[in-house]
Amino acid sequence: MIALTGKNQSYVLVLYGLCFPLIHVAHAQFILKMAAVQGGMGDADIKTDIKTEPSADGFGNNNANDGRVLSASPGSSSSTGSNKQTAAVTPEDQQTLLAVLQFLKKNKLSESVEILRREPGSDTNSDQPDVSVVLSAYSQQGDPTLYKVYYRDLKKFIETVLDCHRAELSQVFYPLFVHMYLELVYNNHESEAKAFFEKFSGDQECYYEEDLRILSGLTKKEHMRGNETLLDFRTSKFVLRISRDSYQLLKRHLQERQNNQIWNIIQEHLYIDIFDGMPRSKSQIDAMSGSLAGEAKREANKTKVYYGLLKEPEIELPLDDEDEEAENEEGKPKKKKPKKDSVGSKSKKQDPNAPSQNRIPLPELKDSDKLDKIMYMKEATKRIRLGPDNLPSVCFYTFLNAYQGLTAVDLTDDSSLIAGGFADSTVRVWSVTPKKLRKVKSAADLNLIDKESDDVLERIMDEKTASESKIMYGHSGPVYGISFSPDRNYLLSSSEDGTVRLWSLLTFTCLVAYKGHNYPVWDTQFSPYGYYFVSGGHDRVARLWATDHYQPLRIFSGHLADITCTRFHPNSNYVATGSSDRTIRLWDVLSGNCVRIFTGHKGPIHSLAFSPNGKFLASGATDGRVLLWDIGHGLMVGELKGHTDTIYSLRFSRDGEILASGSMDNTVRLWDAMKAFDDLETDDFTAATGHIHLQDNSQELLLGTYTTKSTPVIHLHFTRRNLLLAAGVSQL
């Protein structure tokens, strides 16, 4: 155990229960557009793209590339079997008006809100949305005393159908319950709403417990106005994946009973993704359920993803004189070593799954980068091959008496520096090697240096400033995310103050404050190639930045709640984001489109890790589960159970054989990643349902558990030789 303390102070972790409030995505988009207008977009080289999801009608008919975040209202009666007339106001108009109302309210523009509310709707001008229509999303549909009868009748029917259909049809219970309850509340039937909630809330799945707790607070019509959680329920279609046979059973039952109340809710608020084939089992459905908006549509995960690695440039690897001398001392003949070795020599052929080298512009390698590559290759030759019979050693960095509140940790790729973000708004950097941290000399002293000397990089450093740690000030709120650049010259930090700051590790000063987020920024991360970085926060959008641009290059919009973690793909062409809406999204850096949506977690997601080959993704959440995803096929391929609390960090070993997970339950667990991926039945990927049967083999895959005395694990890092480093704060 290594304790990290300052000269006169010691440092900390104050762990917050990350229950972030919700903000509607349309609101976020509107704010972004307003900010763009106010900012003037003065830099002609900066192109900000807001990308959204393709929408679909209510029953599986996709309308691709329509440029809307949220899906439209149900289609014609021919596709749904209903004769219900569509409203004159389009859903996108409603969403825009809702966003405007919420934006005005957030900025305390009450007079403008009242003026907009008094604006009369006009049948003669269909281009203007009617405010009364938007605010009356839950109009009176029927006798409030019959709501319990309708729901109970459907519940009784589903419980009596064949077992093969029961699990699929039971998915409709939760979204129907929510919308029927909200209709009762909106129409001032408070007593009936309360009775309905008490009667059926206990029948819902346990992973909706937090959502139901929030819903239970909406007991009056006044509570619904401007409520962000309600906006999610009203404007986001809940996605259900149901086989055609099960769907026909449900449709026939509702038509025979003439249950228009439930049928109308299904049309307006549900998206039923119908597939041909055998109905899914209860375990298959439970594995994919749990997000705020149901499962992902199958169409959302069919885009081609180039998950292969880019070909590394060829770099000459010098002979290692020390190794040769050691061989000669033993009296053995000198072995010839190849004079040239390539980082990409493992696969000289172009990976068919890799993107083209110039798909996105990447920074050119500097001389210092090439030297670092050479050092990396030398370290790789001494790397320990890990496996079930050869587990890594673990070195734990413990922050003692950290009263400032440690909220984020990161280590450089070469494991020479460690940084911490603190609740007191400071960023602190330590050297974990004998080499101390030094600043660059002043401009006057630099003019006296011989710039042609071989050791000019050493001469520019001021020995008078050498110390084991440095403190950087600039943020005005807790620092929640930090990330070192690959070349170790820069450090990113994201904060509650809504900014991302770029710090120089040569001068230990702030170079840029990137302003774009309107609320706290929970995470930020550098690209594996530097230059680009991503940030995500409470405003529900992720932003892609370049260090030399003051505005974001891309805005990734689609999540329904806070973006809590971000991660670059190893080839830097994709960004993964985890959210409090309990989904993971994969974004294409080039187009800005969402190319994968993964559902299955039952709580907010706090950690992501790509496998070194770029083919798989691991995710950890507050539900204590690690889920494994196949990026190419867009499917969940594994579930690792064992942790009893939030998983805050995931890391693959350098060769991908081992997956390490660190949790708030004070443990580090090691999993056999090679076995988890090698055991996959690839034939199952082609199934029409898009599902495979997950094996419950967590105990077989668990290789080891390392327990701390009282230190939650908030960061993990594999060194270049596969030593596992962990970090946390002592709770003693």
Side-chain angles (χ1 to χ4, degrees):
M1 179 187 298
I2 300 178
L4 297 183
T5 59
K7 185 174 182 181
N8 299 315
Q9 303 171 340
S10 17
Y11 311 100
V12 237
L13 173 64
V14 171
L15 296 168
Y16 301 96
L18 299 178
C19 298
F20 308 123
L22 303 177
I23 300 179
H24 189 289
V25 68
H27 176 208
Q29 277 195 303
F30 179 77
I31 297 290
L32 293 173
K33 292 177 182 176
M34 291 293 291
V37 172
Q38 294 168 1
M41 302 298 287
D43 192 340
D45 295 332
I46 302 168
K47 297 181 180 178
T48 303
D49 298 341
I50 299 180
K51 295 296 181 179
T52 57
E53 298 295 313
S55 71
D57 64 15
F59 293 90
N61 298 319
N62 292 328
N63 303 319
N65 301 320
D66 65 350
R68 294 195 295 272
V69 178
L70 304 170
S71 55
S73 290
S76 63
S77 58
S78 60
S79 64
T80 64
S82 168
N83 295 322
K84 183 178 178 182
Q85 298 295 321
T86 57
V89 180
T90 62
E92 55 267 34
D93 288 337
Q94 294 185 14
Q95 294 160 17
T96 301
L97 186 52
L98 284 170
V100 172
L101 287 170
Q102 189 159 346
F103 175 76
L104 295 175
K105 187 175 180 181
K106 286 281 186 183
N107 289 273
K108 299 181 180 179
L109 301 174
S110 55
E111 293 183 7
S112 300
V113 172
E114 291 305 316
I115 292 173
L116 188 58
R117 289 182 185 278
R118 291 196 299 268
E119 183 71 21
S122 175
D123 295 332
T124 59
N125 186 1
S126 60
D127 292 335
Q128 297 298 324
D130 189 340
V131 178
S132 62
V133 173
V134 176
L135 298 179
S136 303
Y138 292 109
S139 58
Q140 179 66 48
Q141 296 288 343
D143 187 348
T145 61
L146 295 179
Y147 276 51
K148 286 198 295 185
V149 177
Y150 294 148
Y151 192 88
R152 185 171 59 245
D153 179 67
L154 179 64
K155 187 169 181 287
K156 183 177 179 181
F157 163 72
I158 292 177
E159 288 175 348
T160 57
V161 299
L162 294 175
D163 291 347
C164 61
H165 300 294
R166 187 182 307 149
E168 283 195 329
L169 294 181
S170 295
Q171 296 178 84
V172 305
F173 286 148
Y174 175 69
L176 283 176
F177 169 80
V178 170
H179 291 294
M180 292 177 78
Y181 173 75
L182 291 175
E183 279 188 3
L184 288 170
V185 172
Y186 182 82
N187 291 291
N188 294 314
H189 303 302
E190 296 176 15
S191 59
E192 289 85 353
K194 182 179 179 181
F196 182 81
F197 190 92
E198 292 176 350
K199 176 73 173 177
F200 299 111
S201 61
D203 297 337
Q204 310 309 318
E205 297 288 354
C206 60
Y207 39 79
Y208 294 122
E209 182 178 347
E210 180 62 20
D211 299 334
L212 292 174
R213 184 190 64 79
I214 297 173
L215 194 65
S216 65
L218 301 174
T219 58
K220 297 180 182 295
K221 185 176 180 178
E222 293 74 21
H223 298 165
M224 299 175 67
R225 297 185 182 276
N227 186 282
E228 294 159 351
T229 304
L230 174 60
L231 289 176
D232 287 332
F233 289 130
R234 285 168 60 178
T235 58
S236 302
K237 287 203 169 187
F238 198 92
V239 180
L240 304 177
R241 194 175 300 176
I242 296 178
S243 66
R244 190 171 299 279
D245 291 343
S246 298
Y247 170 70
Q248 292 297 339
L249 271 177
L250 176 64
K251 183 178 177 180
R252 192 180 308 117
H253 168 77
L254 295 177
Q255 288 177 341
E256 290 175 354
R257 294 300 182 97
Q258 296 184 347
N259 195 337
N260 294 330
Q261 178 69 29
I262 289 180
W263 186 247
N264 290 340
I265 291 177
I266 290 176
Q267 285 184 295
E268 293 180 7
H269 301 290
L270 274 61
Y271 177 101
I272 298 183
D273 191 356
I274 302 171
F275 64 88
D276 295 311
M278 293 293 294
R280 293 183 298 163
S281 66
K282 181 72 164 64
S283 61
Q284 287 178 315
I285 293 172
D286 286 344
M288 306 301 294
S289 301
S291 80
L292 279 179
E295 296 188 42
K297 304 168 189 175
R298 285 177 297 157
E299 291 297 325
N301 291 339
K302 290 187 176 180
T303 305
K304 170 71 174 177
V305 173
Y306 300 98
Y307 57 80
L309 304 182
L310 297 176
K311 186 178 180 181
E312 294 283 355
E314 292 188 354
I315 300 175
E316 293 184 359
L317 181 61
L319 295 175
D320 194 331
D321 297 334
E322 293 180 2
D323 289 347
E324 289 184 354
E325 290 175 3
E327 288 174 356
N328 291 334
E329 287 175 2
E330 296 174 3
K332 296 180 181 179
K334 185 186 296 183
K335 293 183 180 179
K336 292 185 178 180
K337 293 190 177 183
K339 294 183 179 179
K340 193 175 184 180
D341 189 16
S342 170
V343 182
S345 60
K346 292 182 179 179
S347 55
K348 294 184 178 179
K349 295 183 179 180
Q350 182 68 25
D351 186 345
N353 295 309
S356 60
Q357 292 288 124
N358 58 354
R359 187 172 184 266
I360 62 171
L362 294 173
E364 293 183 2
L365 285 180
K366 303 187 293 289
D367 290 342
S368 58
D369 296 328
K370 293 178 181 178
L371 289 174
D372 193 58
K373 288 281 184 184
I374 292 174
M375 291 301 298
Y376 177 85
M377 288 187 286
K378 287 183 176 181
E379 293 282 342
T381 60
K382 303 173 183 178
R383 181 180 299 158
I384 298 173
R385 184 82 176 180
L386 301 179
D389 300 324
N390 192 23
L391 299 181
S393 298
V394 184
C395 176
F396 204 101
Y397 292 89
T398 302
F399 289 74
L400 298 174
N401 305 318
Y403 62 87
Q404 293 90 350
L406 180 71
T407 48
V409 177
D410 193 30
L411 283 129
T412 54
D413 184 71
D414 68 349
S415 311
S416 63
L417 302 175
I418 186 171
F422 292 84
D424 67 353
S425 77
T426 61
V427 177
R428 302 165 191 261
V429 182
W430 289 266
S431 172
V432 291
T433 66
K435 189 176 181 181
K436 293 186 177 181
L437 302 177
R438 299 170 296 171
K439 293 182 180 180
V440 173
K441 292 180 179 178
S442 64
D445 292 336
L446 289 175
N447 289 330
L448 303 176
I449 296 176
D450 180 9
K451 298 178 178 59
E452 302 299 325
S453 61
D454 294 336
D455 60 345
V456 63
L457 294 179
E458 186 66 24
R459 292 189 180 190
I460 64 174
M461 307 308 294
D462 188 355
E463 290 295 335
K464 297 178 182 178
T465 63
S467 62
E468 294 180 354
S469 66
K470 298 290 184 183
I471 304 177
M472 297 179 287
Y473 301 93
H475 283 294
S476 58
V479 178
Y480 291 115
I482 53 175
S483 176
F484 282 104
S485 64
D487 61 6
R488 302 180 301 284
N489 288 330
Y490 304 100
L491 177 69
L492 284 171
S493 62
S494 61
S495 169
E496 184 188 54
D497 61 17
T499 66
V500 179
R501 288 181 178 266
L502 181 70
W503 307 86
S504 168
L505 297 182
L506 296 176
T507 61
F508 295 97
T509 57
C510 180
L511 302 178
V512 191
Y514 301 95
K515 299 177 181 179
H517 290 276
N518 299 297
Y519 297 95
V521 186
W522 303 126
D523 196 23
T524 187
Q525 199 216 5
F526 257 116
S527 158
Y529 294 90
Y531 185 62
Y532 299 111
F533 64 93
V534 64
S535 61
H538 180 59
D539 58 8
R540 304 182 174 192
V541 294
R543 287 171 168 81
L544 177 76
W545 310 76
T547 52
D548 58 358
H549 286 65
Y550 66 91
Q551 289 182 331
L553 305 179
R554 293 288 186 274
I555 295 177
F556 305 125
S557 174
H559 280 293
L560 300 178
D562 301 51
I563 293 177
T564 49
C565 54
T566 58
R567 185 66 52 183
F568 262 98
H569 188 277
N571 65 24
S572 200
N573 279 250
Y574 299 93
V575 168
T577 54
S579 170
S580 294
D581 67 9
R582 307 189 284 274
T583 67
I584 302 151
R585 290 176 180 252
L586 188 70
W587 309 88
D588 187 341
V589 167
L590 179 64
S591 67
N593 291 328
C594 178
V595 294
R596 291 289 183 271
I597 303 176
F598 296 133
T599 65
H601 277 294
K602 310 303 188 275
I605 294 150
H606 285 285
S607 54
L608 297 168
F610 284 99
S611 61
N613 62 9
K615 188 176 181 181
F616 301 102
L617 174 68
S619 59
T622 58
D623 57 12
R625 298 153 66 234
V626 177
L627 299 184
L628 306 176
W629 311 89
D630 183 287
I631 297 171
H633 294 92
L635 296 173
M636 182 195 300
V637 295
E639 177 185 21
L640 306 176
K641 294 182 289 187
H643 284 291
T644 58
D645 207 336
T646 301
I647 298 171
Y648 262 107
S649 185
L650 291 169
R651 284 295 184 275
F652 282 92
S653 60
R654 293 286 176 156
D655 293 323
E657 304 96 335
I658 302 291
L659 173 64
S661 58
S663 170
M664 297 296 292
D665 63 7
N666 303 341
T667 66
V668 175
R669 294 176 186 263
L670 302 179
W671 310 89
D672 191 340
M674 289 293 289
K675 179 176 174 58
F677 297 136
D678 289 345
D679 289 349
L680 296 179
E681 295 292 338
T682 54
D683 293 340
D684 291 336
F685 290 143
T686 59
T689 58
H691 279 276
I692 63 170
H693 179 70
L694 297 178
Q695 301 179 23
D696 187 9
N697 59 347
S698 296
Q699 292 304 313
E700 297 177 17
L701 299 176
L702 181 61
L703 300 178
T705 301
Y706 302 89
T707 306
T708 66
K709 186 174 182 180
S710 183
T711 306
V713 183
I714 62 174
H715 188 75
L716 295 172
H717 173 82
F718 276 97
T719 69
R720 293 174 175 177
R721 298 192 186 187
N722 270 337
L723 169 67
L724 178 58
L725 306 181
V729 61
S730 176
Q731 298 295 292
L732 294 176

